[in-house]
Amino acid sequence: MNQRKIAAALGISQATVSLALNNSQNPKISQAKRDMVLNYMRKHNYYPLHSRGKTKSICYIFPDHSDNLLQYHDFYNRFLAGIEKAASDSDYTLCIQNYRKDEALVFPQKKVDGIIYEGNIDLARLKEIMNCCPAVLLNNLLCEPVCDVVFADSFGGILLAMNHLKDQGHRKVAYFNIDVKDKIHTTMTNTQRFGAFISLSKALKMEQNDNYLQSHSISEACIAANEAKINETLRLWRKMPNPPTATLCFNDFQALLMIRQASLLGIRIPEDLSIIGFDNIPSSMLSVPSLTTVDQNAREIGYLSVETLIRRIEKPNRPMLKISSNPKLVIRDSVMNIKNPEKNREREKVKI
């Protein structure tokens, strides 16, 4: 499909199609005609890509998280902060574009030297982008390596959390996750973390129990649905003869909801159950107790993605790279030392 075919299908001139795609402010075309052209493109999965050119501008394309802002905003916002800083440091102009899962993606109307793409993408569409300009995938590991990838080190983060729990005397460690249907990228990330948890549990000789592994799916991302699954899980663990003494949660959002539900059920955190989250969102330090969590350096990941893209722009034939940032464990109050309870009391005295 091309501009001529679009014009013929809509009964308008090719010049009108060109104006709709390349100059959104031109008064020669009405907003109604511009919307008609763009809607036709979305319906027929047509993505106009521009030829290569040195414009000193790059584009960051990311999924719209507004339907689940509470859970994802803080984490993904730090990607953007790192991307903006790296682009500024390298004197590149940054174009930002988001998309919803139910919309076809229309690529930037202005020329760019490269694209950073975050979220789900099929191989054919990715190759279409790369035929026009270099691309870096952000926090998305495809099975078939076709371009540079910058991602969070899920295995390294789980390793830090598991070693910390082992050092604090925990051997009965659970894993908790809630997936939202149609959130393919989140499901993929959970698969990586869950796989790391299983392999490390065996390597660290943690006690094995199927009921320690709690992975749930809900149809809609809302607090009530998450809390219902968490409440159900906590009740199950409390009834077990050998309940877990600690759990890793897929992210901080779920960990914070677990702290709240535990309080409602009379389960003491961390005395009865220690909790570790993922992502180190700002609200993780405000809970009672404050949440121990894995910080995946989202800002650094964003910065690295720009550096990687610029290197690809400057040297298009260099070998492909897979780059991850180093996670760190932020130790707060939601994990109890059951090997040496005196250390918990010493910590409480310091806090007072």
Side-chain angles (χ1 to χ4, degrees):
M1 184 178 291
N2 53 35
Q3 292 185 16
R4 179 177 56 81
K5 291 182 179 180
I6 294 174
L10 296 176
I12 58 179
S13 69
Q14 185 174 338
T16 299
V17 174
S18 179
L19 286 171
L21 297 182
N22 295 295
N23 193 340
S24 61
Q25 304 301 319
N26 196 310
K28 293 181 180 180
I29 177 174
S30 68
Q31 186 62 45
K33 284 190 176 179
R34 184 177 296 111
D35 291 342
M36 179 174 65
V37 171
L38 295 178
N39 288 335
Y40 183 86
M41 291 164 52
R42 293 188 180 100
K43 181 178 178 181
H44 294 276
N45 293 320
Y46 173 63
Y47 316 107
L49 296 175
H50 297 284
S51 58
R52 296 180 188 273
K54 299 298 182 182
T55 64
K56 291 290 287 185
S57 63
I58 58 177
C59 183
Y60 171 40
I61 301 176
F62 63 98
D64 182 359
H65 298 292
S66 61
D67 60 341
N68 201 7
L69 198 59
L70 282 173
Q71 187 165 354
Y72 295 113
H73 174 71
D74 288 331
F75 179 65
Y76 288 102
N77 187 55
R78 284 178 287 167
F79 279 159
L80 180 56
I83 289 170
E84 289 177 325
K85 180 68 166 60
S88 175
D89 289 349
S90 301
D91 294 323
Y92 268 76
T93 300
L94 178 64
C95 165
I96 300 173
Q97 181 171 323
N98 68 355
Y99 63 91
R100 296 185 64 84
K101 66 178 182 180
D102 55 350
E103 293 178 345
L105 179 64
V106 178
F107 288 106
Q109 296 176 10
K110 62 184 291 186
K111 290 183 179 180
V112 295
D113 294 342
I115 288 175
I116 297 170
Y117 190 101
E118 178 203 330
N120 305 316
I121 188 169
D122 60 68
L123 200 55
R125 186 177 297 183
L126 179 59
K127 288 180 178 179
E128 185 182 357
I129 296 174
M130 295 172 61
N131 284 335
C132 177
C133 65
V136 170
L137 274 185
L138 177 60
N139 211 31
N140 185 354
L141 285 170
L142 290 180
C143 296
E144 181 180 343
V146 295
C147 69
D148 298 318
V149 180
V150 180
F151 60 98
D153 183 4
S154 290
F155 186 92
I158 292 288
L159 178 61
L160 288 173
M162 295 290 283
N163 276 331
H164 178 62
L165 290 174
K166 183 178 180 181
D167 290 343
Q168 302 303 299
H170 295 275
R171 294 296 182 273
K172 303 172 185 177
V173 180
Y175 181 87
F176 181 85
N177 168 70
I178 298 175
D179 279 332
V180 181
K181 292 177 182 177
D182 298 327
K183 295 287 184 181
I184 302 173
H185 176 64
T186 305
T187 301
M188 180 184 65
T189 304
N190 177 56
T191 299
Q192 296 168 357
R193 293 181 187 173
F194 183 75
F197 176 83
I198 293 296
S199 62
L200 288 169
S201 291
K202 294 177 181 177
L204 296 174
K205 296 182 170 53
M206 299 293 187
E207 290 192 24
Q208 307 297 304
N209 190 309
D210 289 344
N211 284 329
Y212 291 172
L213 309 177
Q214 292 291 318
S215 184
H216 302 272
S217 179
I218 56 178
S219 58
E220 183 181 357
C222 65
I223 291 178
N226 277 268
E227 288 193 320
K229 292 296 183 184
I230 291 170
N231 188 288
E232 174 187 319
T233 296
L234 289 173
R235 289 176 184 274
L236 170 66
W237 285 344
R238 185 167 61 178
K239 292 178 181 178
M240 292 175 61
N242 294 297
T245 61
T247 184
L248 270 65
C249 290
F250 172 66
N251 58 30
D252 287 349
F253 176 75
Q254 294 172 15
L256 293 171
L257 291 182
M258 184 170 286
I259 290 175
R260 167 180 156 79
Q261 284 299 305
S263 176
L264 295 175
L265 291 172
I267 298 172
R268 300 171 302 164
I269 308 295
E271 292 84 355
D272 300 326
L273 181 68
S274 293
I275 299 177
I276 295 183
F278 252 84
D279 299 337
N280 193 27
I281 62 175
S283 51
S284 63
M285 70 180 70
L286 302 178
S287 63
V288 180
S290 57
L291 180 65
T292 294
T293 180
V294 176
D295 189 326
Q296 295 190 287
N297 286 325
R299 185 184 177 96
E300 180 187 359
I301 292 171
Y303 198 99
L304 287 171
S305 68
V306 174
E307 288 189 328
T308 304
L309 180 60
I310 292 174
R311 287 202 297 269
R312 175 63 64 188
I313 293 169
E314 294 172 347
K315 295 183 178 179
N317 296 320
R318 64 165 174 74
M320 281 186 298
L321 297 176
K322 282 188 176 183
I323 302 173
S324 65
S325 66
N326 294 320
K328 62 182 179 182
L329 187 69
V330 181
I331 299 174
R332 298 195 181 104
D333 300 327
S334 63
V335 173
M336 181 162 183
N337 188 325
I338 61 176
K339 183 169 59 176
N340 188 353
E342 284 298 321
K343 289 191 175 182
N344 296 292
R345 283 189 279 272
E346 290 173 5
R347 185 176 64 183
E348 288 299 318
K349 289 178 182 178
V350 171
K351 286 172 59 179
I352 293 172

